[in-house]
Amino acid sequence: MKLKKLKKKIQQLEKRVREGSEKLATLRRKLQQAETAKALKAARKSAASATASAGKNSPEPTTGAKKPGGAKKAKKRLNLSPERRAQLAAAMKARWAAKRAAEGNRTTPSDQNSPTPPTQSPDNRADGV
């Protein structure tokens, strides 16, 4: 290999190493900036949650332990038409009324001081007949 060609190859290699080290330095700087930004964001978030929870009077002392899951999400409102919403409301009211009626029927015969014991339904009898 000629001397001029060798010098040129060495210069190219040195240039590549220099540029590579510069790229490495810029990437390291970017990584450092991203880490500090993430730490600042976490600090802001914890400070905001601390100020939000300071407004609430909680009986338990606040320690370092946190519940998993973070903040509660707001319930998503269903995209219903007014007719469908009214239909669902009527169905729920009917269900609740039936539940109240069934609960009212169940509690009256089970009085402890009644002279007659509560009767079992035929399907729940002990003899199985």
Side-chain angles (χ1 to χ4, degrees):
M1 205 179 260
K2 293 185 180 175
L3 191 61
K4 188 176 181 184
K5 189 88 167 174
L6 266 176
K7 284 182 181 178
K8 189 153 188 143
K9 281 194 180 263
I10 291 172
Q11 284 176 350
Q12 286 175 347
L13 278 172
E14 287 175 348
K15 182 181 177 186
R16 198 178 309 153
V17 167
R18 217 178 312 117
E19 288 174 356
S21 65
E22 288 173 1
K23 283 184 181 179
L24 180 64
T26 56
L27 287 174
R28 282 188 176 154
R29 258 186 266 124
K30 283 184 181 180
L31 176 66
Q32 185 68 28
Q33 288 172 350
E35 286 175 348
T36 54
K38 188 175 179 182
L40 282 173
K41 187 176 180 182
R44 270 194 221 114
K45 192 172 183 181
S46 66
S49 66
T51 56
S53 66
K56 298 176 185 174
N57 292 332
S58 58
E60 66 273 338
T62 55
T63 59
K66 287 187 179 180
K67 288 185 181 178
K72 276 189 172 181
K73 287 185 180 178
K75 283 191 177 180
K76 184 178 178 183
R77 184 172 174 181
L78 295 176
N79 192 12
L80 296 174
S81 66
E83 296 85 17
R84 179 66 178 148
R85 191 175 298 278
Q87 185 182 12
L88 285 174
M92 293 302 290
K93 285 178 185 175
R95 186 186 299 175
W96 295 331
K99 186 178 178 182
R100 277 194 301 271
E103 208 166 278
N105 290 341
R106 190 171 16 146
T107 55
T108 52
S110 65
D111 189 12
Q112 294 278 339
N113 299 328
S114 65
T116 59
T119 58
Q120 287 184 336
S121 61
D123 54 341
N124 289 340
R125 291 198 339 212
D127 59 357
V129 177

